[in-house]
Amino acid sequence: MNSIFIHKSKDAHYDIPLHQKLGTEFLIMLLALMTLLCLLATSTSMVLGKALSQWTSGLENSLTIEIPAGNNAPALATSIERALGEIDNVKRATRLNRDDISGLIAPWLGGLESQLGDLPLPTLIQVDLRIRDAETIATIRKTITNLSDDVRIDAYETWLTDLMRLTTTIRLVALALLIIILVITAMTIAGAVRSRMAIHHEELRLLHIMGAEDRYIAKQFRNYILRLSLRGVVVGSCAFVLLLVLFFILKPQTGLLIPTDHHSLASYAFIAAVPFILIILSFLTAQNTVMRVLRAMP
Amino acid sequence: MIRFEHVGLRYGIGPEVLADISFTLKPGSFHFLCGPSGAGKTSLMSLLYLGRKPTRGLINMFDDDVGSLTRTELVPLRQQIGVVFQDFRLLNHLSAFDNVALPLRICGRPESEIKSHVHELLEWVGLGDCMNRLPATLSGGQQQRIAVARAVIARPRLLLADEPTGNLDDEIGMKLMSLIEQLNRMGTTIVIATHNLNILEQFRYPRLVLNHGQLRVFDPQDETNFDGDAA
């Protein structure tokens, strides 16, 4: 007997002909795309966060005090160090020696390091704080101003604050993007399920007349959507891995921003959770949509 | 067991297709539902298989007032009713076996039980060699037998059949009627909508006669009784 006349047992679990290709297969590609976008948004946020953390590492809890060159500079530096030692939140105050300062300005002198001996270099004190807060910085400013008006304090506020804001903004944008993607995915799945329910209205009615419970019918739609989303999520995850490999291959040529340091386990866990979140979302959306539509039936 | 009291049904704002229908079906009774086309037979059947709610009146089924039941509470009642539709309503993507197995799967019976019951019944209706065939590849008569098998597989308390012998030759038709009588003897209440005069002559059970939405009861065993209780 020709196989088209014989029932295919692999479709036996669908009493409703959901395996028939009637337009909802686009969900595979949609889920693949959404998985890729979610993974990109999450990993971009993670990579940028890590990069910014590397740039600002060690600076969040420190500031530099600059004493202009002059005859009283060493004595003033000693007074400042003593005064800083009395402030609770100051962990350490370290005066940089001449070699350290030469090393800092050498790049701006291009090959003229030998002339440094003739330059009037300022005295720099690196101050490490236990916790960076506005109150401590204000106390330090006040203490130092009392000792001398010429001393300059660089607490990196301007660019450090901007970097922090940028980090927070990028993370919020990534989170918003993630939420938007999830909402669009849920809405599309709900629409697809409703359309299949409309197409199979007669079969649904028949199952109802036979005494099928809502959850019996919902299970079939749920499993169908689960199969589609599993395929989509696998395709999207594979595309993400390929893209990642491509980034690493192109990194030397393009200088792409990919911090090589290890990320936290929580970051990796969150990225790994993204495909599962999409699968669970699809599953619950299908179940919820079917139950709501069925409740409207007689 | 099944009681209709002053039941009326209308579709939308149209006229009543069923008006003031009252009758009682006792457990294990056998009735034919007769009447000309458009008399309301299909509408009455849809009320009986709980596919619709009446616009007025009371339907009491298996000691439950149908009007007061929620959707969830209707489920166990529906599971006790077998229906043979005039257009069969087989699921075309499922094999003959799976179509017949459907009511048992809905009730959550184990697969081993389903397999043995379905095999036995399909053999009995002469479709033992067609179990894996899709309905589209079967004749009208074979499809009808699958529809009947599907309706009776779960041993329903009430069997409703709309022209169950319509596409069958006389021999198979009589065989099916014997199967239905056998079910009736085991306690199943039967209502068969039919135009088939041969069947009506041969099986002299009481008739529910519908005309212009009104129901009258006729018992061929007692020709003086042409109204009242159908049981």
Side-chain angles (χ1 to χ4, degrees):
Chain A
M1 179 69 64
N2 191 320
S3 64
I4 62 164
F5 297 132
I6 301 292
H7 165 69
K8 291 172 186 158
S9 60
K10 67 173 182 162
D11 296 323
H13 50 280
Y14 292 137
D15 296 336
I16 304 157
L18 292 170
H19 61 284
Q20 290 174 355
K21 290 187 167 60
L22 293 171
T24 37
E25 305 71 43
F26 77 93
L27 283 178
I28 297 175
M29 287 320 295
L30 177 98
L31 260 298
L33 192 64
M34 293 306 185
T35 307
L36 183 61
L37 285 175
C38 281
L39 288 170
L40 283 177
T42 313
S43 53
T44 303
S45 154
M46 198 176 99
V47 163
L48 283 177
K50 185 75 182 177
L52 286 168
S53 140
Q54 282 175 352
W55 296 336
T56 59
S57 170
L59 293 179
E60 300 97 323
N61 294 332
S62 68
L63 54 87
T64 306
I65 294 167
E66 183 184 326
I67 304 163
N71 290 338
N72 66 337
L76 185 57
T78 306
S79 307
I80 290 172
E81 280 176 320
R82 196 179 304 122
L84 288 172
E86 289 169 9
I87 298 172
D88 280 348
N89 207 7
V90 172
K91 190 174 165 189
R92 188 171 43 236
T94 316
R95 196 186 311 182
L96 300 188
N97 61 34
R98 195 169 175 82
D99 288 342
D100 293 334
I101 299 170
S102 303
L104 286 172
I105 61 169
W108 279 271
L109 297 174
L112 294 173
E113 292 93 333
S114 56
Q115 307 295 317
L116 273 173
D118 303 332
L119 285 173
L121 293 178
T123 303
L124 298 178
I125 299 172
Q126 171 82 34
V127 182
D128 294 324
L129 306 173
R130 287 190 177 84
I131 298 165
R132 186 188 182 93
D133 59 33
E135 194 187 339
T136 306
I137 291 170
T139 308
I140 292 171
R141 275 189 200 287
K142 195 178 168 190
T143 308
I144 288 170
T145 311
N146 287 340
L147 291 170
S148 168
D149 289 338
D150 294 335
V151 176
R152 194 173 151 263
I153 300 169
D154 185 1
Y156 330 119
E157 281 123 325
T158 311
W159 69 275
L160 205 56
T161 309
D162 285 348
L163 269 183
M164 296 296 187
R165 277 191 192 139
L166 183 64
T167 314
T168 312
T169 308
I170 288 170
R171 286 192 169 147
L172 284 177
V173 168
L175 184 69
L177 201 64
L178 209 62
I179 292 169
I180 290 168
I181 292 168
L182 293 178
V183 169
I184 292 173
T185 307
M187 286 168 69
T188 314
I189 288 172
V193 168
R194 279 175 186 274
S195 113
R196 285 307 290 257
M197 290 185 82
I199 290 170
H200 301 298
H201 181 75
E202 280 307 311
E203 287 92 343
L204 291 180
R205 230 178 106 66
L206 180 69
L207 289 178
H208 255 283
I209 289 167
M210 287 178 162
E213 290 180 345
D214 288 354
R215 61 175 179 215
Y216 179 90
I217 296 170
K219 188 179 163 192
Q220 312 223 353
F221 280 92
R222 209 176 57 197
N223 290 349
Y224 168 68
I225 293 295
L226 188 64
R227 281 176 69 159
L228 291 186
S229 43
L230 268 174
R231 283 191 218 169
V233 163
V234 168
V235 172
S237 302
C238 289
F240 174 71
V241 170
L242 283 177
L243 214 57
L244 218 56
V245 170
L246 199 67
F247 276 175
F248 274 102
I249 291 170
L250 293 176
K251 190 190 170 191
Q253 285 87 27
T254 59
L256 285 168
L257 177 69
I258 305 173
T260 46
D261 278 15
H262 289 298
H263 296 275
S264 68
L265 200 62
S267 304
Y268 287 119
F270 189 63
I271 287 196
V274 167
F276 293 102
I277 291 171
L278 279 162
I279 290 170
I280 293 167
L281 176 79
S282 313
F283 183 85
L284 293 178
T285 306
Q287 164 91 7
N288 193 34
T289 307
V290 176
M291 294 300 275
R292 268 201 286 177
V293 174
L294 289 178
R295 274 197 286 270
M297 285 177 78
Chain B
M1 176 195 182
I2 295 164
R3 199 172 78 245
F4 276 50
E5 279 180 26
H6 308 292
V7 169
L9 178 69
R10 71 170 81 235
Y11 298 106
I13 53 167
E16 276 197 319
V17 290
L18 295 175
D20 217 28
I21 302 285
S22 297
F23 64 89
T24 305
L25 302 178
K26 284 189 178 162
S29 62
F30 196 129
H31 289 84
F32 286 113
L33 178 61
C34 314
S37 296
K41 295 195 293 296
T42 305
S43 297
L44 182 57
M45 291 291 254
S46 72
L47 289 178
L48 279 165
Y49 62 68
L50 306 177
R52 290 187 184 283
K53 284 200 169 180
T55 40
R56 68 182 171 98
L58 180 125
I59 298 177
N60 191 290
M61 198 166 274
F62 312 131
D63 299 325
D64 280 311
D65 173 12
V66 170
S68 67
L69 297 179
T70 62
R71 287 184 72 251
T72 316
E73 288 167 337
L74 285 173
V75 168
L77 291 192
R78 286 180 173 136
Q79 288 179 354
Q80 297 177 59
I81 303 170
V83 189
V84 182
F85 297 96
Q86 195 170 10
D87 55 357
F88 319 140
R89 296 199 200 173
L90 298 176
L91 294 170
N92 288 323
H93 68 292
L94 294 183
S95 67
F97 178 93
D98 285 324
N99 265 288
V100 176
L102 198 51
L104 297 179
R105 289 204 169 115
I106 284 172
C107 294
R109 302 276 180 83
E111 276 302 315
S112 55
E113 184 190 327
I114 291 172
K115 201 173 172 186
S116 66
H117 279 45
V118 175
H119 274 257
E120 189 185 335
L121 188 58
L122 281 174
E123 290 287 353
W124 203 90
V125 295
L127 292 173
D129 54 347
C130 302
M131 286 190 202
N132 294 321
R133 300 259 303 267
L134 294 171
T137 67
L138 300 171
S139 70
Q142 288 172 317
Q143 289 185 34
Q144 196 151 25
R145 278 181 275 163
I146 292 172
V148 173
R150 185 181 66 184
V152 304
I153 186 78
R155 296 261 178 93
R157 287 172 74 185
L158 171 65
L159 176 69
L160 306 168
D162 200 352
E163 298 287 356
T165 57
N167 287 297
L168 304 178
D169 58 44
D170 283 351
E171 189 190 345
I172 301 282
M174 289 301 163
K175 198 174 172 190
L176 269 182
M177 284 304 296
S178 306
L179 168 70
I180 291 170
E181 274 196 311
Q182 206 173 314
L183 267 172
N184 177 240
R185 278 195 288 273
M186 284 156 57
T188 302
T189 307
I190 312 280
V191 178
I192 296 178
T194 185
H195 285 108
N196 190 324
L197 291 175
N198 275 346
I199 297 278
L200 288 173
E201 280 302 313
Q202 191 137 356
F203 299 89
R204 297 181 66 80
Y205 292 109
R207 299 171 197 176
L208 304 169
V209 184
L210 262 176
N211 206 353
H212 300 299
Q214 304 279 330
L215 184 91
R216 307 196 79 188
V217 181
F218 168 64
D219 187 348
Q221 311 276 11
D222 176 11
E223 297 199 4
T224 56
N225 176 12
F226 195 64
D227 210 341
D229 200 311

